[in-house]
Amino acid sequence: LAFLFPEYYCGVRKMYLLAFVIVVLRLLLQIPADLEMIIQLEEQGAPFNTMMYQPLMEYVKNHRFSPGVVNTATALEMALKVVFGLVANQLYFMHTILKIKKIRGNLNISMDYRATVKQAGGTSYLSILVVLLAEVFLVCIFFFILMSLAYF
């Protein structure tokens, strides 16, 4: 799971900041390949020549990334996934230790230590939905920015 979907791995394990950073990095690294894919689809006859998409297609074609940039961005994204897959458990272990230390520092006499740690730890499968919504939101922002650039 950590290699294929690092942002969801972090989300399930309540490492939300790292999940957000990975989402942003992967989206930024996917931009050159995604734009190149749009150009290739349009050249193969995909219906991007509608009135709404015409300025966008002209902008994308005029600001095309070189093949070296596309390949480098794709390689960096794969490297990010491989490295994260190798260090994911260590990162989760460090995250857990820091969380436990924080709980110990804020522990009151009346609080049950085990119950507090159990409540703070564990996994949250609802966060997969949250990470997915964050990705969709960021893609929409990117599309809005790209459309704004194309029209102005």
Side-chain angles (χ1 to χ4, degrees), residues 60-134:
V60 169
K61 285 181 181 178
N62 291 335
H63 296 84
R64 195 171 193 166
F65 288 99
S66 69
V69 171
V70 174
N71 293 337
T72 302
T74 303
L76 286 173
E77 183 187 4
M78 290 304 296
L80 172 75
K81 290 171 77 172
V82 168
V83 168
F84 187 80
L86 293 172
V87 300
N89 286 332
Q90 184 66 26
L91 289 172
Y92 181 51
F93 178 75
M94 291 180 349
H95 171 76
T96 304
I97 296 298
L98 290 174
K99 212 169 197 181
I100 290 172
K101 285 181 181 180
K102 185 177 178 182
I103 291 170
R104 280 187 183 161
N106 297 336
L107 193 64
N108 294 335
I109 303 277
S110 61
M111 294 174 68
D112 182 20
Y113 177 70
R114 286 181 184 243
T116 306
V117 169
K118 189 173 183 176
Q119 181 183 3
T123 57
S124 171
Y125 290 100
L126 180 62
S127 62
I128 291 176
L129 180 63
V130 173
V131 172
L132 180 64
L133 290 174

Side-chain angles (χ1 to χ4, degrees), residues 6-111:
E7 60 273 18
Y8 299 115
Y9 176 88
C10 291
V12 166
R13 283 158 179 75
K14 298 182 180 179
M15 298 188 292
Y16 302 117
L17 179 62
L18 187 56
F20 181 75
V21 168
I22 291 172
V23 165
V24 170
L25 279 175
R26 288 195 61 207
L27 286 175
L28 289 175
L29 290 172
Q30 288 173 354
I31 288 172
D34 289 346
L35 293 180
E36 188 62 30
M37 182 182 64
I38 289 171
I39 292 169
Q40 289 176 359
L41 285 172
E42 198 264 340
E43 288 172 351
Q44 293 174 2
F48 289 117
N49 58 356
T50 62
M51 191 72 107
M52 180 180 154
Y53 292 112
Q54 192 64 38
L56 174 66
M57 289 310 301
E58 289 176 21
Y59 181 81
V60 169
K61 285 181 181 178
N62 291 335
H63 296 84
R64 195 171 193 166
F65 288 99
S66 69
V69 171
V70 174
N71 293 337
T72 302
T74 303
L76 286 173
E77 183 187 4
M78 290 304 296
L80 172 75
K81 290 171 77 172
V82 168
V83 168
F84 187 80
L86 293 172
V87 300
N89 286 332
Q90 184 66 26
L91 289 172
Y92 181 51
F93 178 75
M94 291 180 349
H95 171 76
T96 304
I97 296 298
L98 290 174
K99 212 169 197 181
I100 290 172
K101 285 181 181 180
K102 185 177 178 182
I103 291 170
R104 280 187 183 161
N106 297 336
L107 193 64
N108 294 335
I109 303 277
S110 61
M111 294 174 68

